[in-house]
Amino acid sequence: MREVLTLQFGENANYVGAHFWSLQSAYAAGDRVHELFAERSKQPAVPRALVFDAAGSFGALPLEHELQSAATDQLDEDRGLWAGPTQVHRQPLHKQPRAGANVRFWSDIAPVRYAPHALHAVSGVEFGNSLGEMNSFVEGARVFAGNDARDDALEGSFRVLAEQCDRMQGFHVLADAFGGFAGYAAGFVGRLRDEYPKAPVLLYNVGRTQTVGKLGAAQLADMAVAAAVNAEAVSMSVPLFAPRPDPELKSHVDIASGDFNQTSAFMAANVVQWSHCLHSGQRLLDEIVAQVTQQGYYPLAETLLAPGLRVPAVGSDDSRARLAAADRLVGRSFVACSDADVGGISATMGQLVADRGTGFSSLVSDRFPASACLSDPQPARLPRSFPRIFQTPDQKDSGPSAKEIEQLPVAGMLCTSTASLCYIQQLHGAVHCEQSRLFKEYERESVREYQSTLNRAIDKYSPQ
């Protein structure tokens, strides 16, 4: 089996990760062998994952050792001084909140149980700022460097996870796009690249409820530094932010403004499109990366999703008409998790299309090679705990149906496009002034290297 290891860094990333594992559990129901889950004898499989966050962000996770505590009840009974009969009554340890219920921690929406070695509370007390916080990229990088120098980051729990793999494909990373865990993740990924120089690393940079264009100066500066530092270590990077407000979006997606639980669920639905093809055996991780980045030339990609997509009937003999229909659908129904306006599928440089029961792949099958199209006739399965953000048009009118969706036809696209140029230019502008107070903790030469790295990216993505 070709296993994929998942690494999650920070609160934003872990919200997406919680929904991601929820969707994966629904997809992999009944499977004992899975690229993303570790099989255990007579016990539920656990994610092949390491999860990093601040100590106060884990909430009340259903840790694996709590399942084992029931086995000690008989021992406790035997040790008791009471000679008469005894009974043990155990209250359920955790109760999953209903879809739509208030969520305080990302762990409130995590339906899977993690292995004990998977969860890591990171503190900045020893190596962070004077308050023990990690508020910026440089503080997070400093904390990782200190922890790594004291205890090798790739030993311990990581080594246990890696040695459980027969033939590891690579790494699937969810990381905060800015803040301390952006720096912590960059340090960890850099160590991965030293130890696994040829393994593909797919990185999702997770923002919050705002779009990229509404970020503050400090957040943009963090993102810019992270992008430049990760440029050599990451095989492909994908920004994940709130979808752009769009009137068309309301016809099939209903996300409450400012609700990151719902926003992160939409992001996770994007991510799971590409991990599903790993489980189904349709693609390997390095094949996905090579297809989208055009053999590594375009490392920054965009992900788009079209839930509940309806593909119009187009004559099978007219390839131009099918491509034109695909372009219209991408422009009208596919929602990006960034400010990028991809436009049409014809404008992409590298692309991978995933079709789960919509028929969209039939429109582009003769335009792109077979390696660019992934098709599954079965719609995506949505677990009951998943937020009710997806709606389907009613058959009788254009209004959304109130019926809860358990299976959702969905199409997705992972692509590289010149539409990413605006995003790169925003990052470049954030480090353009090396004298800025935001870079007082960086060496001037380092800031100039970041500028040069982003300049090269601008040259690649500029229209020729």
Side-chain angles (χ1 to χ4, degrees):
M1 183 168 55
R2 302 294 301 273
E3 299 88 353
V4 176
L5 301 190
T6 301
L7 307 174
Q8 300 171 200
F9 299 92
E11 183 179 24
N12 297 343
N14 285 324
Y15 262 95
V16 177
H19 288 300
F20 170 79
W21 292 116
S22 174
L23 290 167
Q24 282 296 343
S25 297
Y27 290 174
D31 291 349
R32 295 300 300 168
V33 179
H34 197 286
E35 287 75 5
L36 296 166
F37 287 85
E39 180 184 4
R40 303 182 303 166
S41 177
K42 298 181 180 180
Q43 295 187 54
V46 293
R48 300 183 189 276
L50 295 181
V51 180
F52 299 84
D53 208 340
S57 298
F58 284 91
L61 261 178
L63 298 176
E64 184 185 75
H65 66 77
E66 293 174 327
L67 292 175
Q68 302 168 352
S69 66
T72 66
D73 288 341
Q74 185 62 43
L75 294 176
D76 293 340
E77 180 181 337
D78 293 340
R79 295 192 191 102
L81 299 177
W82 171 250
T86 60
Q87 289 183 329
V88 176
H89 299 273
R90 295 185 63 84
Q91 181 179 357
L93 291 168
H94 299 278
K95 184 177 181 180
Q96 286 296 116
R98 300 185 310 274
N102 291 333
V103 175
R104 294 181 57 203
F105 304 100
W106 58 264
S107 58
D108 293 339
I109 54 175
V112 298
R113 294 186 179 274
Y114 296 90
H117 63 262
L119 305 175
H120 297 265
V122 178
S123 171
V125 170
E126 188 173 355
F127 303 107
N129 62 26
S130 58
L131 298 177
E133 299 173 338
M134 295 195 308
N135 295 323
S136 65
F137 179 95
V138 69
E139 289 174 356
R142 188 182 299 131
V143 170
F144 174 81
N147 290 343
D148 186 43
R150 183 187 58 198
D151 302 304
D152 190 337
L154 300 190
E155 293 300 327
S157 58
F158 175 83
R159 191 65 62 192
V160 170
L161 196 65
E163 290 181 352
Q164 291 175 349
C165 300
D166 295 327
R167 299 173 63 199
M168 184 169 60
Q169 288 191 48
F171 302 96
H172 188 247
V173 182
L174 296 164
D176 285 2
F178 46 79
F181 278 98
Y184 197 94
F188 202 106
V189 169
R191 288 283 285 112
L192 283 181
R193 184 52 72 208
D194 292 339
E195 179 116 351
Y196 300 91
K198 295 183 179 180
V201 178
L202 172 53
L203 170 65
Y204 292 93
N205 297 298
V206 184
R208 198 137 178 106
T209 54
Q210 67 271 58
T211 58
V212 180
K214 294 184 179 180
L215 294 177
Q219 294 169 332
L220 271 175
D222 268 3
M223 285 176 56
V225 174
V229 170
N230 288 324
E232 297 299 323
V234 171
S235 308
M236 182 168 69
S237 178
V238 183
L240 285 180
F241 283 79
R244 292 185 304 154
D246 191 328
E248 294 290 341
L249 182 65
K250 294 300 180 182
S251 67
H252 50 276
V253 180
D254 186 13
I255 299 176
S257 177
D259 188 334
F260 191 59
N261 178 36
Q262 294 189 4
T263 302
S264 59
F266 184 82
M267 296 175 181
N270 274 270
V271 176
V272 83
Q273 286 285 92
W274 317 113
S275 57
H276 175 72
C277 66
L278 295 173
H279 169 53
S280 63
Q282 291 179 291
R283 294 292 182 277
L284 298 177
L285 188 59
D286 58 354
E287 292 173 341
I288 293 174
V289 170
Q291 175 68 38
V292 176
T293 65
Q294 295 294 279
Q295 306 300 322
Y297 188 77
Y298 300 105
L300 177 66
E302 304 287 345
T303 180
L304 301 91
L305 196 71
L309 180 67
R310 290 184 173 182
V311 176
V314 181
S316 59
D317 297 331
D318 194 341
S319 60
R320 290 186 179 181
R322 289 201 302 274
L323 182 59
D327 277 337
R328 288 193 298 271
L329 285 174
V330 170
R332 185 182 72 229
S333 300
F334 280 69
V335 183
C337 279
S338 72
D339 287 339
D341 184 5
V342 174
I345 197 169
S346 302
T348 60
M349 283 110 50
Q351 61 289 123
L352 192 62
V353 173
D355 178 9
R356 303 289 306 278
T358 70
F360 180 76
S361 59
S362 64
L363 298 180
V364 298
S365 57
D366 54 359
R367 172 65 172 81
F368 300 123
S371 59
C373 298
L374 305 169
S375 181
D376 187 336
Q378 296 299 320
R381 280 184 265 176
L382 300 181
R384 291 185 177 182
S385 60
F386 198 77
R388 302 305 180 192
I389 60 174
F390 296 133
Q391 300 175 328
T392 55
D394 190 271
Q395 297 291 339
K396 297 180 180 179
D397 54 50
S398 59
S401 170
K403 181 181 178 181
E404 291 187 352
I405 301 173
E406 295 181 358
Q407 292 191 328
L408 179 72
V410 60
M413 187 166 67
L414 189 63
C415 65
T416 46
S417 165
T418 55
S420 298
L421 179 61
C422 180
Y423 173 79
I424 302 171
Q425 288 173 330
Q426 286 177 307
L427 300 184
H428 181 266
V431 295
H432 185 68
C433 181
E434 62 195 53
Q435 302 290 346
S436 169
R437 61 178 179 80
L438 298 173
F439 297 98
K440 63 182 180 181
E441 297 191 63
Y442 296 90
E443 295 182 2
R444 182 173 298 180
E445 188 60 34
S446 296
V447 178
R448 289 175 178 170
E449 289 179 7
Y450 303 153
Q451 292 173 352
S452 297
T453 299
L454 294 174
N455 268 329
R456 290 192 293 272
I458 288 175
D459 290 340
K460 287 183 178 181
Y461 283 84
S462 296
Q464 301 299 322

